Amino acid sequence: MVYRIARSALFLLPPETAHALTLDAVRLRGKLIRPPTRTAAPPVSVMGLSFANRIGLAAGFDKNGVAVDGWFSLGFGHVEVGTVTPKPQPGNPRPRVYRLPEAGAIINRMGFPNDGAERVTARLRLRRNPGVVGVNIGKNAATPLDRAIDDYLICLRTVFTVADYITVNVSSPNTVGLRSLQGAEQLAPLLSAVVEEAHALQMHHGKRVPVVVKISPDLAADELREIAKVAASVPVDGIIATNTTISRDAVATHALAQQTGGLSGRPLLAKSCAAVRILRATLGSRMPIIGVGGVASADDAQLLRQAGADLVQAYTGMVYRGPRLVRELADALRV
Ligand SMILES: Cc1cc2nc3c(=O)[nH]c(=O)nc-3n(C[C@H](O)[C@H](O)[C@H](O)COP(=O)(O)O)c2cc1C
């Protein structure tokens, strides 16, 4: 009810202004509310990490890690910060985010605006809540694709000590060429380099940081199976499925459908479930899968879970449903 009123006001503002206000409110909440000393339900163990529940905030909402304590105070079991790049960058020109309320969807072409890995790392050092924080890493727009591995390694080294897990993002549609890194020939050397470096850093810092890869919903079934094989052979510690889609099939008649960018929200649920199902069938039961895409209710989260996801993340559902969605999803996936 409270969010429904707040939402009416927020939706009068441009999406990025509303987003900045939301982040301010969540950050303030994080400052005011003490971190809980214990959680009500038994924790869930995935990738060797202990999660207070199965629900996480998807990457992109808090790119710079400004409100991590606030997200935990709302009930998230994990928070994925980023995408961060080695150097700060402004992202694409505005406007670059569009709401499609009739479809429960968003189109964005943000292009990784962020403060850069060093500033985000310094900020994450100050968080108080001990919940699981993933850091999603990518490449700067100005870095040529054939030097992409260098950018991922710089980010990994910079954020390693403050990250509980690392997400290698090869699936955002708004950085030119990024998604081509999902092809097996590029993906295998990239993931191998990141995992090898994470092992070296583990020896140095005495801390294990799982590495997961985040993939696109626009891959064909055989491409998904190929990625699953690469992920299992490197091996990485998990797969996040999925990022936003460039398809407009589900919103073809919408006035904003032709805006360039990635579509998220309700139209993505069938695709994210299908991707998770194929990955699970290919990988068997052992590789952790984090399902994301179109979750806006307990039933949606159950669908991803039934498809084979161990953890579930949400972004667009939070925009339309507000903070009460967090507890609703966490309760639905209690077991
Ligand atoms: C405005 C916006 C910005 C996003 N930024 C990122 C990002 O920086 N890195 C990333 O991996 N995913 C990013 N995403 C994708 C989300 O993390 C998520 O994978 C996708 O939106 C599907 O989930 P949803 O339907 O719950 O939103 C972004 C999504 C939106 C809507």
Side-chain angles (χ1 to χ4, degrees):
M1 179 64 185
V2 177
Y3 183 73
R4 218 176 290 160
I5 296 165
R7 197 187 93 161
S8 315
L10 286 171
F11 276 24
L12 294 175
L13 301 169
E16 284 203 61
T17 311
H19 187 254
L21 285 175
T22 305
L23 272 182
D24 282 347
V26 177
R27 183 175 52 202
L28 185 64
R29 190 187 151 94
K31 283 199 199 303
L32 297 177
I33 294 187
R34 285 167 162 276
T37 46
R38 62 181 184 84
T39 54
V44 184
S45 178
V46 181
M47 304 188 288
L49 300 171
S50 180
F51 295 78
N53 60 53
R54 294 187 190 273
I55 303 302
L57 181 71
F61 209 125
D62 191 355
K63 289 174 185 290
N64 293 312
V66 296
V68 170
D69 288 323
W71 296 117
F72 285 122
S73 79
L74 289 175
F76 280 108
H78 72 281
V79 177
E80 191 166 313
V81 161
T83 298
V84 296
T85 53
K87 294 185 197 130
Q89 63 177 26
N92 290 321
R94 298 183 192 206
R96 53 192 180 178
V97 186
Y98 302 88
R99 297 185 196 103
L100 289 72
E102 308 79 1
I106 290 175
I107 292 174
N108 94 85
R109 51 171 177 275
M110 298 284 281
F112 298 163
N114 77 106
D115 292 344
E118 276 175 26
R119 279 187 64 192
V120 174
T121 299
R123 202 170 282 134
L124 289 179
R125 257 188 235 303
L126 302 178
R127 76 176 166 115
R128 295 179 305 160
N129 192 295
V132 174
V133 172
V135 182
N136 180 307
I137 61 175
K139 76 166 203 66
N140 278 117
T143 304
L145 211 52
D146 60 1
R147 306 300 301 265
I149 292 184
D150 297 349
D151 273 17
Y152 287 97
L153 292 179
I154 293 168
C155 287
L156 172 68
R157 290 184 199 115
T158 309
V159 306
F160 187 85
T161 55
V162 297
D164 295 309
Y165 73 87
I166 299 283
T167 301
V168 177
N169 181 7
V170 285
S171 47
S172 287
N174 304 313
T175 296
V176 176
L178 191 85
R179 303 191 330 160
S180 70
L181 298 173
Q182 293 176 114
E185 269 170 35
Q186 278 100 319
L187 192 62
L190 168 61
L191 293 181
S192 299
V194 172
V195 166
E196 206 171 290
E197 183 68 13
H199 286 160
L201 291 164
Q202 177 178 352
M203 300 307 247
H204 185 73
H205 294 287
K207 173 195 180 202
R208 195 183 94 83
V209 178
V211 173
V212 308
V213 59
K214 182 167 178 180
I215 63 165
S216 156
D218 300 326
L219 298 157
D222 53 342
E223 292 173 310
L224 283 168
R225 287 188 206 101
E226 196 66 34
I227 287 174
K229 277 187 209 141
V230 171
S233 73
V234 169
V236 291
D237 297 279
I239 302 183
I240 303 187
T242 65
N243 215 310
T244 54
T245 176
I246 58 167
S247 162
R248 297 291 186 268
D249 293 352
V251 294
T253 56
H254 197 285
L256 294 170
Q258 294 322 313
Q259 288 294 339
T260 304
L263 175 76
S264 59
R266 198 192 306 141
L268 200 51
L269 182 66
K271 280 176 180 278
S272 61
C273 284
V276 168
R277 204 170 295 118
I278 291 171
L279 292 172
R280 183 53 80 212
T282 313
L283 289 162
S285 61
R286 283 185 42 202
M287 171 79 70
I289 298 176
I290 302 175
V292 51
V295 173
S297 72
D299 287 349
D300 301 339
Q302 291 284 10
L303 286 176
L304 266 177
R305 183 93 175 99
Q306 282 156 15
D310 300 284
L311 303 171
V312 169
Q313 296 179 337
Y315 184 142
T316 305
M318 284 291 294
V319 173
Y320 288 107
R321 294 285 319 284
R324 78 193 153 116
L325 180 65
V326 189
R327 298 277 178 208
E328 183 181 318
L329 300 181
D331 287 346
L333 300 189
R334 214 24 106 198
V335 283

